[in-house]
Amino acid sequence: MFLINNNFKKISWSNLFAQFAEQIALSAAPLVAVLLLSATASETAWIQTSLFVPWQMPAVKTQLPSPFLATVL
């Protein structure tokens, strides 16, 4: 059996839970807006944009190509 350092296990589980929470937020925020607040399509688009833009800022700040734009182009 593989012996894995306890610190590595903690970091791995922390990363897993952080990614899980991020995916829940990305999908739950627009759903809550539509179902509970009766948001329109454009308002939902603004919510999705506000959740997506922070991930693009490091690429803009460092003038690196955006991972999203690289897949589109």
Side-chain angles (χ1 to χ4, degrees):
M1 179 147 185
F2 296 106
L3 297 176
I4 299 176
N5 187 351
N6 263 346
N7 290 333
F8 180 76
K9 286 182 185 178
K10 289 177 186 177
I11 291 173
S12 297
W13 281 108
S14 297
N15 186 25
L16 176 71
F17 289 131
Q19 288 183 10
F20 179 73
E22 176 191 355
Q23 293 300 315
I24 294 297
L26 288 173
S27 61
L31 284 173
V32 168
V34 170
L35 297 176
L36 297 180
L37 304 174
S38 302
T40 63
S42 62
E43 292 169 338
T44 305
W46 279 110
I47 291 171
Q48 290 177 332
T49 302
S50 69
L51 293 172
F52 177 72
V53 167
W55 295 107
Q56 297 304 308
M57 295 316 286
V60 171
K61 186 175 182 181
T62 59
Q63 298 180 353
L64 295 173
S66 167
F68 175 72
L69 293 177
T71 58
V72 172
L73 300 175

